[in-house]
Amino acid sequence: MFNYLEPPNAYYEFEKIYTAQQWAKKQRWIVDYLTEHAPDVIGFQEVFSIDSLKELVGEQGYNYFAVVDTPEVIDDFIYKRPVVAIASKYPIVEVAAVDHDSELASMLGLNSEFTFSRKVLRATIVLPHIGNTDCYVVHFKSKRPMINVDEHNKELTPEQNIIEILKANLAGGWGSTIQRGSEATLLMIQMIARREATQQPMLLMGDFNNELADGVLSHLLTSTLRFAPAFDAKTYLAKYCLNDSWDLFVKSQLSEDEPSNGEAMASDEISHSESHSIFDLADENEAKNVNTTKLMPLRAPTHYYGASSSVLDYILLSCEFDASYLGSFFEVIEYNTYDRHLINPEFERDDLSTDHGIVLVTLKLRS
């Protein structure tokens, strides 16, 4: 939401306050997106004004809304530590903040004061055909270094000052990485435990502040086990694993030309928010694998920093949404990243939008 805070309150600093016109413009941008794309379930990050957002989305048909935390307020009107939220057109029957396993955290070398940098929200939503589904919304620790130094220390020489900044960036950056990776690990452990207890489908969405391919978070997609009996692993593992919705979408595209074995797809669709699709030719080997030359989609970034870009925002799904899983209910038929405001912005329309692309997946019922 990129600092969703109703005036006359300020975000982080005294002077950072939207005017009435700016606030109306920011809200209009959100409404325009919801009107155009109409996701059924949507996760939010960087929410300061909870009641305002609840009212705004309620007017767009989202009768169910939840948070599990409140932002911190200092000096009566200056806000920091925004929270995550979820809105749904389908009933939310249970809401909870995810608590980590403190004993496990200690075993990992984390101190007793460890906590998620932002509370993780779990909402159980009654989705069509599949029933109670545990939807998690996260905003993992950013890459901003955890150690701050005075960048203009006049008591140091210019070289000494640079050295202190360098050391703070190295140590502080690694500290943020440890925090982010630990959050993902401890959350995944709780998701597995919840899955074992309820057998309910899982959906994890949010700003991961990291690419999944990076080793820091790659364990969120663990699909193999060392030393485990092969038969047991194959039988049970998929039920407790998560899949990147992008990978499921690509798999769905590759299988479109394959025989359907008489399977028909119903028209029921569910979208979960959080791009335009860019296509390129598959390489020769991939083309041979599917016995045809297909157009392969290229994943659009969700964040730009200077000349670099990366995918930081994800929707991960349990096996019920994987068409290759025998007991699945849905398949991912569309994956889009709304990024017009990032790659082709118009000031009057987009200057108070968000600094991330919005990931949207569409699920289709299998029958």
Side-chain angles (χ1 to χ4, degrees), residues 190-207:
Q190 296 304 98
M191 291 179 68
I192 292 170
R194 170 77 174 181
R195 172 75 151 171
E196 181 184 14
T198 68
Q199 300 298 305
Q200 291 172 178
M202 304 181 292
L203 185 156
L204 171 62
M205 56 184 169
D207 177 3

Side-chain angles (χ1 to χ4, degrees), residues 31-43:
V31 169
D32 287 346
Y33 175 85
L34 295 179
T35 301
E36 180 179 355
H37 297 278
D40 294 307
V41 178
I42 182 167

Side-chain angles (χ1 to χ4, degrees), residues 207-350:
D207 177 3
F208 288 13
N209 269 314
N210 212 107
E211 292 195 299
L212 267 178
D214 189 324
V216 176
L217 298 185
S218 60
H219 53 284
L220 288 174
L221 299 180
T222 295
S223 59
T224 58
L225 292 178
R226 297 179 65 186
F227 311 123
F231 177 81
D232 291 345
K234 184 177 181 181
T235 302
Y236 302 113
L237 185 60
K239 187 166 68 170
Y240 295 95
C241 293
L242 292 173
N243 305 278
D244 187 347
S245 56
W246 169 260
D247 293 337
L248 297 182
F249 166 67
V250 171
K251 192 190 308 185
S252 145
Q253 296 300 294
L254 289 174
S255 64
E256 273 187 356
D257 289 344
E258 295 177 359
S260 63
N261 296 322
E263 291 183 347
M265 299 300 174
S267 61
D268 300 77
E269 297 180 359
I270 303 175
S271 298
H272 303 273
S273 178
E274 174 21 56
S275 137
H276 60 286
S277 294
I278 304 175
F279 290 85
D280 197 1
L281 284 176
D283 63 37
E284 185 176 351
N285 290 332
E286 288 176 332
K288 288 178 181 177
N289 288 339
V290 294
N291 299 319
T292 182
T293 301
K294 293 181 64 69
L295 290 175
M296 292 289 290
L298 299 179
R299 192 174 202 165
T302 66
H303 190 258
Y304 296 84
Y305 184 79
S308 63
S309 61
S310 53
V311 180
L312 302 182
D313 304 86
Y314 295 88
I315 298 176
L316 308 186
L317 303 167
S318 59
C319 60
E320 287 83 0
F321 307 96
D322 178 0
S324 67
Y325 184 74
L326 185 61
S328 64
F329 283 74
F330 291 94
E331 68 172 330
V332 179
I333 61 167
E334 289 185 29
Y335 180 107
N336 298 102
T337 304
Y338 185 82
D339 58 2
R340 182 178 65 179
H341 57 294
L342 301 177
I343 64 174
N344 187 29
E346 293 181 9
F347 180 81
E348 284 303 314
R349 181 189 66 203
D350 300 316

